[in-house]
Amino acid sequence: RRNAKNKAALLPHLNSVIIQHLPLNVGAEDVVTAIFENNEDLLQPQVPIGVLKQYENCLVGAHAGLKGDGLGYGCHYLDFLEVIQSCNGQPLQRNQQLVMQLLLKHDSLRVLLDESTEKHHTKEDRMRIYITSLDSLANNKQQCTDPTSKLQYHLRLLQLLGRIAQGENRRVVQQFFRNWFPLSLCLTVINKCSTYDFETCLSIRTSFILFMRDVYFPINRSDVGHVMD
């Protein structure tokens, strides 16, 4: 992934060969992610819209093709969306905003969130619905062990949201995150994890703690005192 010569050699084949194989689940997504990771020439000023559109189609297609068994949520496509958020440790606000727009455009990609943020629900209702949904998944062994499951997708989504909130973009997205994950909800989930098996507890707690780190912790002095709840 760090070999610049290999990345350069694969780049001419990105659109003609590699991208076309994204929907086939043959590992093309890993190759694309490796090419873009910390690749300043490709990531700035923004990721190519055509490539991002291909990932959008793959994710939406994966969710549209679900059979109701909670599998096949396209978790592997989120790696690319996470990698393009930054370059050499520096957040890329334009790419962060593009991914946020993608998530806002498709309700189906906001797994667990779309079913608990209806306008007619109060904040307390939304928290209750979310916790009930998460609890149901966390007590399902298949959901906890299958890397393509609904639960694993949601935890990866949390990680992606944390990346979107890094740097100056945090101020842009904070209203959405305040609605989706109030601080009190995060703390409730972390405390409730003790009722799950050890591995599931660790996985959920880690995801929420990292999310809180990226979203709630101040990035500079001007952010101190602004708690989003």
Side-chain angles (χ1 to χ4, degrees):
R1 300 174 78 97
R2 298 181 180 180
N3 192 308
K5 290 184 179 180
N6 287 345
K7 289 184 179 183
L10 287 172
L11 187 57
H13 307 286
L14 183 63
N15 292 316
S16 61
V17 179
I18 303 172
I19 291 294
Q20 294 183 16
H21 287 80
L22 282 178
L24 304 180
N25 197 23
V26 293
E29 65 279 359
D30 293 331
V31 177
V32 178
T33 299
I35 291 175
F36 276 83
E37 187 173 17
N38 292 323
N39 192 326
E40 186 174 353
D41 293 335
L42 289 177
L43 292 174
Q44 297 185 9
Q46 68 179 39
V47 66
I49 296 298
V51 176
L52 185 59
K53 183 66 178 177
Q54 289 291 336
Y55 272 86
E56 177 182 356
N57 292 339
C58 288
L59 269 170
V60 173
H63 286 241
L66 292 173
K67 300 178 181 179
D69 56 3
L71 303 178
Y73 276 80
C75 301
H76 50 296
Y77 294 125
L78 297 184
D79 288 337
F80 173 77
L81 299 183
E82 184 177 341
V83 159
I84 66 174
Q85 304 298 306
S86 63
C87 184
N88 297 314
Q90 297 300 313
L92 301 175
Q93 188 171 22
R94 180 55 183 156
N95 289 344
Q96 290 173 313
Q97 293 175 352
L98 287 173
V99 176
M100 186 65 182
Q101 290 167 11
L102 187 158
L103 295 176
L104 292 176
K105 180 180 177 181
H106 300 285
D107 292 349
S108 64
L109 301 186
R110 303 193 301 273
V111 169
L112 292 193
L113 297 179
D114 58 318
E115 58 197 59
S116 64
T117 54
E118 296 292 338
K119 293 182 179 180
H120 63 273
H121 289 146
T122 65
K123 176 181 175 181
E124 290 73 21
D125 285 338
R126 293 196 301 271
M127 290 177 60
R128 176 181 53 79
I129 293 170
Y130 175 84
I131 291 173
T132 299
S133 299
L134 184 66
D135 189 57
S136 176
L137 295 178
N139 284 302
N140 183 319
K141 185 176 181 180
Q142 186 179 30
Q143 288 286 331
C144 298
T145 57
D146 193 309
T148 67
S149 71
K150 185 175 185 178
L151 175 62
Q152 298 306 319
Y153 176 91
H154 182 65
L155 297 181
R156 288 299 313 281
L157 179 63
L158 267 176
Q159 184 175 326
L160 179 61
L161 294 177
R163 286 294 189 98
I164 294 174
Q166 290 181 355
E168 293 301 321
N169 201 53
R170 176 174 174 269
R171 293 185 178 278
V172 179
V173 300
Q174 63 180 1
Q175 183 62 44
F176 295 103
F177 294 144
R178 176 161 61 252
N179 290 333
W180 292 346
F181 294 101
L183 185 58
S184 54
L185 172 61
C186 296
L187 295 174
T188 299
V189 170
I190 289 173
N191 288 329
K192 186 174 177 56
C193 282
S194 60
T195 63
Y196 307 141
D197 68 80
F198 177 78
E199 292 296 333
T200 303
C201 173
L202 182 62
S203 180
I204 294 176
R205 275 185 172 169
T206 299
S207 297
F208 272 87
I209 289 172
L210 293 178
F211 174 82
M212 291 169 60
R213 178 200 65 187
D214 292 331
V215 173
Y216 284 96
F217 290 0
I219 56 176
N220 53 48
R221 291 180 182 274
S222 62
D223 279 332
V224 175
H226 292 273
V227 177
M228 295 155 33
D229 200 348

